[in-house]
Amino acid sequence: MGWIAAIIVGALIGWIAEKVMKSDMGLLMNIVIGIIGSSLGRWVFGDLLGIGSAHSAGSLNASGLLFGVLGASLLIFILRFFKIMKS
């Protein structure tokens, strides 16, 4: 059940980040961006910057979604910077 929840929340986070960054991706890419972006958000905002609520990134609550979307948006920005993903 944990994997199913991760896929659903990852898809939601990826979709929101896609809209924020004005990108055009499919469902599978939204899931991947959402899951990896949530991990990136937790690491950058929680571990590096020390924001306590960022450790909930990727969970289905307000701070989890916020830091998950921030991490996923950061991931999209990085992928665009290195020209791995188009706008």
Side-chain angles (χ1 to χ4, degrees), residues 6-42 57-58 64-80 84-86:
I7 290 170
I8 292 170
V9 174
L12 177 63
I13 289 172
W15 179 76
I16 294 170
E18 174 187 53
K19 298 304 175 193
V20 168
M21 297 297 289
K22 294 178 177 43
S23 192
D24 186 27
M25 303 178 286
L27 177 62
L28 182 61
M29 194 65 175
N30 282 342
I31 293 169
V32 171
I33 293 288
I35 292 172
I36 295 173
S38 293
S39 298
L40 180 65
R42 179 183 177 142
L65 289 175
L66 173 69
F67 287 107
V69 169
L70 287 173
S73 298
L74 179 63
L75 180 60
I76 292 171
F77 175 79
I78 292 168
L79 292 174
R80 284 181 182 169
I84 297 171
M85 188 170 88
K86 294 183 180 182

Side-chain angles (χ1 to χ4, degrees), residues 39-74:
S39 298
L40 180 65
R42 179 183 177 142
W43 178 68
V44 169
F45 299 108
D47 296 336
L48 292 181
L49 298 178
I51 301 172
S53 61
H55 287 284
S56 67
S59 59
L60 194 55
N61 58 36
S63 64
L65 289 175
L66 173 69
F67 287 107
V69 169
L70 287 173
S73 298
L74 179 63

